């Protein structure tokens, strides 16, 4: 089973401890995982209390030294907040991370990832344009190693009236120029959109632009670690990908698939 680089514990909005997630990974035959609890400088219920960062560091370090069969990486899923980039950068420098996932969950003060009522009466085309503009900015900050669920805008199966190919190509070019990795986040299969993030069409374009890929289940419960990974890897192979990316101390380590 391939490494799972996106999961949450009870330090943010996950339901299980670090130890419980490690035991579940081991039982599933997954030899490498990365913990990525939410960090957000905009207050939101599913992000961790930043006052617990020292405790988080100690917990991850303890877990890393305790496990003999599972390699444990220290990551974080970090909200991109345009007016708080410097503050976010400062927080990340204080944590000995192996990698960072940059994600867009907010447009201004609207948390579109969980507030479905916010979709009523808005211009969906404008929403998509704004979302993908922000995703491009995530890469351009230079703070993030991985782009999280790159087409999250589709989560609730609300779609624009225009075709997204040019938007995908623009993002793929930015990702390529900025040297970031994109995650194939398998949790989208469980959402109303019922497909991976990114979509097959987006993945095809990412491959054309030689954008590297990593794998993440976005598990919030132990049962979802590594969910749909066989299907995900088969898809990547069919598109021409031959490797996925892992990390150690912010340095990339490619592994063959």
């Amino acid at each position: 089973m391939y490494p799972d680089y996106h999961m949450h514990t009870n330090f943010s909005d996950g339901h299980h401890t670090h130890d419980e997630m490690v035991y579940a990974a081991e039982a599933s035959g997954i030899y490498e995982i990365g913990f990525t609890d939410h960090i957000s400088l905009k207050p939101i219920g599913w992000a961790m209390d930043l006052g617990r960062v020292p405790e988080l560091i100690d917990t991850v370090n303890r877990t890393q030294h305790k496990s003999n069969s599972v390699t444990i990486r220290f990551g974080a899923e970090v909200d991109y907040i345009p007016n708080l980039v410097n503050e976010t950068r400062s927080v990340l420098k204080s944590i000995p991370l192996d990698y960072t996932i940059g994600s867009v969950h907010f447009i201004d003060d609207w948390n579109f990832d969980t507030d479905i009522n916010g979709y009523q009466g808005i211009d969906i085309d404008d929403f998509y344009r704004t979302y993908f503009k922000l995703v491009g900015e995530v890469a351009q900050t230079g703070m993030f190693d991985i782009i999280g669920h790159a087409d999250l805008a589709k989560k609730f199966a609300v779609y624009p009236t225009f075709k997204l190919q040019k938007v995908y190509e623009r993002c793929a070019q930015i990702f390529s120029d900025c040297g970031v990795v994109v995650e194939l986040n398998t949790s989208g299969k469980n959402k109303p959109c019922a497909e991976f993030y990114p979509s097959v069409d987006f993945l095809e374009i990412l491959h054309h632009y030689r954008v590297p890929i990593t794998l993440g289940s976005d598990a919030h419960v132990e049962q979802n670690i590594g969910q749909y990974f066989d299907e995900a890897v088969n898809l990547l192979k069919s598109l021409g990908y031959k490797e996925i990316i892992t990390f150690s101390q912010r340095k990339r380590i490619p592994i063959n698939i």
Side-chain angles (χ1 to χ4, degrees), residues 4 6 66 69 90 97 102 114 133 143 149 184 210 218:
D4 187 341
H6 190 152
K66 186 177 178 181
S69 58
S90 179
L97 294 166
T114 56
K133 175 179 178 292
M143 282 194 295
H149 38 56
L184 198 174
R210 301 182 181 276
D218 210 341

Side-chain angles (χ1 to χ4, degrees), residues 24-38:
E26 185 176 11
S28 299
I30 297 175
Y31 63 88
E32 184 171 340
I33 62 173
F35 290 115
T36 53
D37 279 302
H38 288 286

Side-chain angles (χ1 to χ4, degrees), residues 210-222:
R210 301 182 181 276
V211 177
I213 295 291
T214 192
L215 286 175
S217 66
D218 210 341
H220 288 66
V221 294
E222 59 187 11

Side-chain angles (χ1 to χ4, degrees), residues 172-231:
Q173 183 67 68
I174 292 172
F175 297 161
S176 180
D177 292 345
C178 294
V180 294
V181 175
V182 169
E183 70 166 359
L184 198 174
N185 183 313
T186 57
S187 72
K189 291 277 285 187
N190 299 332
K191 310 302 182 186
C193 62
E195 65 174 9
F196 295 146
Y197 310 113
S199 66
V200 175
D201 290 346
F202 198 175
L203 282 168
E204 285 180 334
I205 291 169
L206 291 170
H207 180 260
H208 176 76
Y209 281 85
R210 301 182 181 276
V211 177
I213 295 291
T214 192
L215 286 175
S217 66
D218 210 341
H220 288 66
V221 294
E222 59 187 11
Q223 296 90 338
N224 287 349
I225 294 175
Q227 61 181 339
Y228 309 117
F229 270 23
D230 287 343
E231 180 180 346

Side-chain angles (χ1 to χ4, degrees), residues 110-125:
W110 175 34
N111 173 219
F112 65 86
D113 181 41
T114 56
D115 180 13
I116 193 169
N117 293 326
Y119 289 86
Q120 297 179 7
I122 68 167
D123 183 329
I124 297 299
D125 288 358

